[in-house]
Amino acid sequence: MLEVRDLHAYYGKSHIIQGVSLDVGAGEIVSLLGRNGVGRSTTLKAITGEVEPVGTIMFKGEPIAGRKMHEIARRGIGYVPENRNIFPTLTVRQNLILGIKSMREQGRWSIDDMFQMFPNLAERADALGSVISGGEQQMLTICRTLMGDPDLIMIDEPTEGLAPKLVEQVSGLLAEIAKRGVAILLVEQKLDIALDISHRVHVMGHGKIVFEGSVSEFRANNQVRKEWLEV
Amino acid sequence: MESFIFAMFNGVLYGMLLFLLASGLTLIFSMMGVLNFAHASFFMLGAYFAYQISEGLNFWAALIVAPVIVGMVGAGIERWGLRPVHRYGHVAELLFTFGVAYVIEELVQMIWGRVPVPYEIPDAMSGALFTWQGFDYSIYRVFMLVVSVAIFVALFALLTYTRIGLIIRAAVSDPIHVATLGHDIPRIFMWTFGFGCALAGVAGVVGGNVLGTEPAMAIQLGPIVFVVIVIGGLGSLGGALVAALIIGIVTRLAIFYDYGVGSLVLALGLEIDTAGMLRDFTRITTAQVAPVLPYLMLVLMLIFKPRGLFGTRDV
Ligand SMILES: Nc1ncnc2c1ncn2[C@@H]1O[C@H](COP(=O)(O)OP(=O)(O)O)[C@@H](O)[C@H]1O
Ligand SMILES: [Mg+2]
């Protein structure tokens, strides 16, 4: 569904992404791993169009590189950035409404679904986004993107800085997303979670993909883990 | 007391008119970061279009159609003027809106001439609605007040309760993220700009026949509108309302109670020699000072509270 070929991206003159290729099939869960600073977030931003991509990005068989950000989103790519981007002056419910792309079509997810999965959010539906906890903000950011009914959701470090109990909730949500047939491209530091739910793994180093394979291939390859992931 | 109420009424009326202008300006500023120097020119266009439409049809048609046309003109200027200029930064945008203000003024003079056009209050509303304690409250002034309060309420409801209002408010703080949710930010900017101009257009329609419809009207009112949004706090709609009312009321009261500075000082119980060295100073009246009051408030505000009453960012 998503095919990235020889993708490059720059911040000013620094060449951050240097020829990344990766695939995500329909309904598939793919993890993008790597140490901090290797360019995982920038790869996602190049796909959304926030950072200008150089190279080929195909989604559902059509080229999307160079298209406008909202168009890319409307074709079915959802994105959850790493800094939980809750709008502080909007309530929890309003943040969810903001995620809806069209009021005419009912997608896979409704606001009630979200409130059922996260009773915490339901209780705080009318609280401002700025006063809920970090964990609730993280759930809300993912739920808001889901309200736009993406076919592929790219999530950047969803468990970062969360308490173990909330980490569990996030992985539960990821499982639910997969169950409803939404493909996931996941950037995640916590290896156990990533490996637990992924079908395939890409490892990045210095702006390039240095390993690509199934989860079992990755588990069998201690070399890659040592060289590119362990600190 | 009765005269105080009458002066307050006029002050609130003038304040609400200023708010109609300031609300669009502050909406555009908070969303796009553009200080639109041409904003009062859209107020002027509203008045001229209303004059033209009233000639052909009637005032009621003008009240609806003129703001719509002004909004379209504004949206067009954003789409084909401001948007291409945007990537050269805010200074270029500012200069661009300066240019637009002059172009509009020249065009207005070319089409309607340099002298005021006879844009009159509709006959049906020219009388007094009621007389109270010796003061006539004209139908038209009450109507102006109703229109501007209605627009304030509608604007507030639009931004608070509708989905498009949510998108606009979110786009103010983080346009990139709103775009990744699938919302077309440039298009929303264009319509917000157009909508802000249409609000100025409404002010032109209802105010042009009272204040006078002439090519200088934009330049006369423009600076005061900037004062309103700076005092209220850039980007704050509530602040714009409060500041507009304060300025409206203070200036009208100063004109209405036309005290000399000398008598004011005496009233404060101070000794002053009204014939001596300070003679020229004591002869100034509050009515003379009234036009300067907003700017005085601006200067004081910038010194003591640069973010304005309700602002969240520096000027
Ligand atoms: N806005 C930016 N401007 C300049 N350099 C940046 C910016 N964002 C990230 N970088 C640099 O790009 C590189 C990759 O960053 P990023 O994609 O965030 O890495 P990761 O998500 O894998 O930790 C890093 O060296 C980082 O310093
Ligand atoms: Mg990152």
Side-chain angles (χ1 to χ4, degrees):
Chain A
M1 185 160 59
L2 177 74
E3 297 157 37
V4 176
R5 290 290 172 273
D6 195 25
L7 178 68
H8 296 256
Y10 304 77
Y11 280 120
K13 287 213 166 83
S14 357
H15 193 176
I16 305 290
I17 305 299
Q18 309 174 359
V20 163
S21 297
L22 59 84
D23 294 81
V24 183
E28 196 178 29
I29 306 183
V30 175
S31 281
L32 186 57
L33 308 176
R35 291 198 185 101
N36 267 328
V38 293
R40 298 157 304 164
S41 299
T42 308
T43 302
L44 300 191
K45 286 179 184 166
I47 296 170
T48 64
E50 180 178 339
V51 171
E52 192 189 333
V54 179
T56 312
I57 307 171
M58 304 287 283
F59 185 65
K60 296 177 182 168
E62 285 173 46
I64 57 165
R67 298 210 172 269
K68 298 201 180 79
M69 291 176 72
H70 73 270
E71 252 181 71
I72 291 170
R74 284 187 172 262
R75 282 163 190 249
I77 297 186
Y79 169 58
V80 182
E82 61 189 321
N83 46 350
R84 293 146 202 166
N85 247 319
I86 290 304
F87 295 101
T89 58
L90 304 187
T91 65
V92 167
R93 189 192 304 277
Q94 288 174 328
N95 267 282
L96 288 173
I97 293 172
L98 194 66
I100 302 171
K101 291 186 191 119
S102 155
M103 295 303 273
R104 282 183 286 274
E105 295 153 40
Q106 169 67 45
R108 294 179 183 88
W109 314 84
S110 69
I111 290 186
D112 287 339
D113 284 351
M114 304 304 178
F115 284 163
Q116 237 158 40
M117 279 189 289
F118 302 106
N120 278 2
L121 287 184
E123 266 170 44
R124 318 216 57 187
D126 297 311
L128 287 183
S130 53
V131 304
I132 63 178
S133 73
E136 287 165 342
Q137 289 188 346
Q138 183 62 61
M139 302 304 166
L140 181 55
T141 320
I142 301 175
C143 291
R144 184 176 61 197
T145 301
L146 289 173
M147 291 304 297
D149 199 23
D151 299 312
L152 163 70
I153 185 166
M154 307 193 292
I155 312 182
D156 201 345
E157 306 216 23
T159 66
E160 202 195 351
L162 294 189
K165 185 132 188 274
L166 289 164
V167 172
E168 228 169 78
Q169 275 198 6
V170 171
S171 36
L173 176 56
L174 294 178
E176 178 65 28
I177 294 172
K179 211 171 88 192
R180 298 206 190 184
V182 180
I184 304 178
L185 178 55
L186 177 68
V187 171
E188 180 53 66
Q189 272 306 338
K190 298 191 176 61
L191 260 191
D192 45 341
I193 293 177
L195 296 181
D196 207 30
I197 67 161
S198 297
H199 302 120
R200 283 187 308 114
V201 173
H202 290 75
V203 180
M204 267 186 94
H206 305 315
K208 297 188 173 78
I209 300 287
V210 293
F211 171 89
E212 196 220 315
S214 68
V215 169
S216 45
E217 281 165 347
F218 176 80
R219 285 189 200 278
N221 195 331
N222 268 323
Q223 167 76 25
V224 166
R225 189 187 297 222
K226 275 220 173 63
E227 195 176 343
W228 297 106
L229 294 176
E230 280 165 15
V231 215
Chain B
M1 186 62 206
E2 302 72 33
S3 55
F4 175 76
I5 290 174
F6 185 69
M8 282 295 282
F9 171 77
N10 279 323
V12 168
L13 184 60
Y14 183 54
M16 286 308 288
L17 209 59
L18 286 179
F19 172 74
L20 276 188
L21 275 158
S23 58
L25 188 62
T26 211
L27 202 62
I28 290 167
F29 174 78
S30 55
M31 208 172 156
M32 308 164 67
V34 181
L35 266 181
N36 179 17
F37 264 92
H39 198 68
S41 306
F42 294 99
F43 160 77
M44 174 164 73
L45 280 184
Y48 273 98
F49 289 163
Y51 160 69
Q52 203 65 53
I53 295 168
S54 314
E55 291 288 286
L57 300 161
N58 57 49
F59 175 79
W60 302 107
L63 183 61
I64 307 291
V65 177
V68 171
I69 302 177
V70 174
M72 301 293 237
V73 171
I77 287 175
E78 199 286 331
R79 173 66 187 81
W80 288 289
L82 209 48
R83 200 185 294 181
V85 172
H86 179 70
R87 64 197 142 109
Y88 301 111
H90 286 327
V91 174
E93 289 174 327
L94 208 62
L95 290 174
F96 174 80
T97 64
F98 254 120
V100 168
Y102 282 104
V103 170
I104 290 179
E105 188 179 327
E106 288 301 324
L107 284 177
V108 162
Q109 290 193 0
M110 231 150 47
I111 299 171
W112 288 285
R114 290 171 188 279
V115 293
V117 294
Y119 175 37
E120 305 286 353
I121 294 170
D123 287 337
M125 290 195 286
S126 57
L129 184 64
F130 56 90
T131 303
W132 190 52
Q133 309 279 10
F135 288 98
D136 281 348
Y137 289 78
S138 83
I139 303 178
Y140 191 72
R141 285 179 180 248
V142 174
F143 165 79
M144 278 170 83
L145 193 60
V146 170
V147 169
S148 35
V149 170
I151 284 183
F152 168 69
V153 171
L155 186 61
F156 184 78
L158 178 84
L159 286 175
T160 314
Y161 300 112
T162 69
R163 201 170 77 96
I164 188 75
L166 295 183
I167 297 172
I168 290 174
R169 282 160 63 203
V172 169
S173 60
D174 189 350
I176 288 183
H177 192 60
V178 177
T180 66
L181 293 173
H183 303 301
D184 187 348
I185 295 298
R187 212 182 76 198
I188 292 167
F189 277 7
M190 176 179 87
W191 287 120
T192 305
F193 194 91
F195 183 69
C197 293
L199 288 177
V202 174
V205 176
V206 299
N209 43 12
V210 174
L211 299 171
T213 300
E214 50 169 331
M217 65 193 290
I219 301 218
Q220 278 163 7
L221 207 56
I224 302 204
V225 180
F226 275 94
V227 172
V228 168
I229 70 166
V230 171
I231 290 182
L234 287 179
S236 165
L237 212 54
L241 177 68
V242 173
L245 288 174
I246 291 177
I247 290 180
I249 291 170
V250 167
T251 52
R252 290 299 129 141
L253 286 182
I255 293 173
F256 196 82
Y257 294 103
D258 194 5
Y259 290 126
V261 169
S263 55
L264 275 183
V265 174
L266 288 177
L268 288 174
L270 298 173
E271 288 288 326
I272 193 165
D273 176 11
T274 49
M277 195 175 72
L278 292 171
R279 186 184 56 208
D280 296 328
F281 172 70
T282 54
R283 238 191 261 141
I284 301 172
T285 65
T286 55
Q288 287 173 306
V289 177
V292 190
L293 278 177
Y295 304 102
L296 194 63
M297 290 196 254
L298 173 73
V299 170
L300 293 177
M301 188 56 96
L302 286 176
I303 293 173
F304 294 109
K305 204 166 182 301
R307 289 190 165 185
L309 294 174
F310 300 97
T312 48
R313 54 179 126 186
D314 288 329
V315 174

